[in-house]
Amino acid sequence: MIQADPQTISSIFPLFTDQRLLNVLADRGTIRTYAAGDYVMDRGMPVEFIPLLLTGSLRIMRRDDEDKELLLYYLRAGETCASSLTCCMGKTNSEVEALAEEDTEVLAIPSNLVDEWMEEFPEWKAFVMRIYHDRFQELLETIDAIAFQQLDERLMRYFNERIDNQGGDNVIKASHQEIANDLHSSREVISRLLKQMEKNGMVTLGRNRVEVLES
């Protein structure tokens, strides 16, 4: 069993300054590693731990009854999953899937501690509330995008989010079908848009890759 040290946790989660909280995070949390493509959480399964991201990134998504995927958001180092927090506090099974986008390390916090720490550690409560606030803001932005933006604007917003998630790397490694799935569109429509964007000098297309030249 691999454990994190308080200094490492503090450097990745700067909101945590209470030494007691840092010590208990290090003591009760365990480091779990996932290769790119591994599932960290699966829909319908009990949520046994809260994943605090140390390195890498997670893709949080839902699937409908026809197995169509809906991208909800990405998680990066210093964040955790709002849905898993809700499931822990409500003692319900996971409503989402969490997939490692790249090799990823998480600090796994046992789910039974979430409620207990909300009362014991003000910084933990502030962290949880900040996570909820950030996800709610993303939800509002997504609703605005669907309601008010054209698909080409949504596509560029999607690219910018992927670039941010990749630490500034402007090469999106995804097929046209995968991009279409994320935007709930069709491959044909996305391919036409991408070809037009390439013609306008905004992107360069390759096999299962899009290099964004203008954002």
Side-chain angles (χ1 to χ4, degrees), residues 3-161:
Q3 292 179 291
D5 62 87
Q7 291 75 21
T8 298
I9 298 171
S10 177
S11 67
I12 299 172
F13 297 86
L15 184 63
F16 299 150
T17 60
D18 183 342
Q19 193 60 49
R20 288 193 312 120
L21 174 58
L22 290 168
N23 289 341
V24 78
L25 282 165
D27 181 57
R28 301 300 300 273
T30 57
I31 294 178
R32 300 192 182 193
T33 60
Y34 299 90
D38 285 351
Y39 278 91
V40 179
M41 292 187 296
D42 208 353
R43 183 182 177 188
M45 299 299 292
V47 179
E48 298 177 347
F49 64 90
I50 299 298
L52 302 185
L53 260 73
L54 301 175
T55 63
S57 61
L58 295 181
R59 175 190 184 92
I60 310 300
M61 55 196 176
R62 282 178 60 87
R63 293 184 188 274
D64 63 16
D65 293 336
E66 297 179 355
D67 204 37
K68 292 181 180 178
E69 177 187 305
L70 173 63
L71 172 66
L72 298 178
Y73 50 84
Y74 290 99
L75 294 180
R76 295 170 284 276
E79 298 180 331
T80 193
C81 178
S83 178
S84 63
L85 288 168
T86 300
C87 290
C88 284
M89 288 188 281
K91 296 179 174 56
T92 59
N93 291 342
S94 178
E95 297 286 346
V96 301
E97 298 174 3
L99 182 73
E101 281 278 288
E102 55 189 306
D103 293 348
T104 297
E105 281 188 338
V106 306
L107 182 65
I109 304 299
S111 59
N112 63 296
L113 297 176
V114 174
D115 260 345
E116 179 182 326
W117 287 359
M118 290 285 282
E119 295 185 6
E120 186 174 354
F121 299 107
E123 287 183 357
W124 176 258
K125 181 177 181 179
F127 172 71
V128 170
M129 297 308 295
R130 194 204 74 189
I131 292 296
Y132 280 134
H133 174 268
D134 290 349
R135 294 290 86 85
F136 183 67
Q137 288 299 118
E138 288 183 3
L139 174 62
L140 292 180
E141 291 172 5
T142 299
I143 292 172
D144 285 346
I146 293 172
F148 305 120
Q149 289 183 344
Q150 299 296 322
L151 184 55
D152 57 343
E153 295 176 308
R154 290 173 56 202
L155 181 57
M156 186 54 70
R157 177 174 176 265
Y158 167 80
F159 285 154
N160 288 333
E161 288 177 350

Side-chain angles (χ1 to χ4, degrees), residues 186-201:
S186 69
R187 181 185 59 79
E188 293 77 12
V189 169
I190 294 299
S191 293
R192 284 198 299 270
L193 275 176
L194 287 172
K195 288 176 183 176
Q196 185 61 48
M197 292 171 72
E198 184 176 45
K199 183 178 178 181
N200 293 339

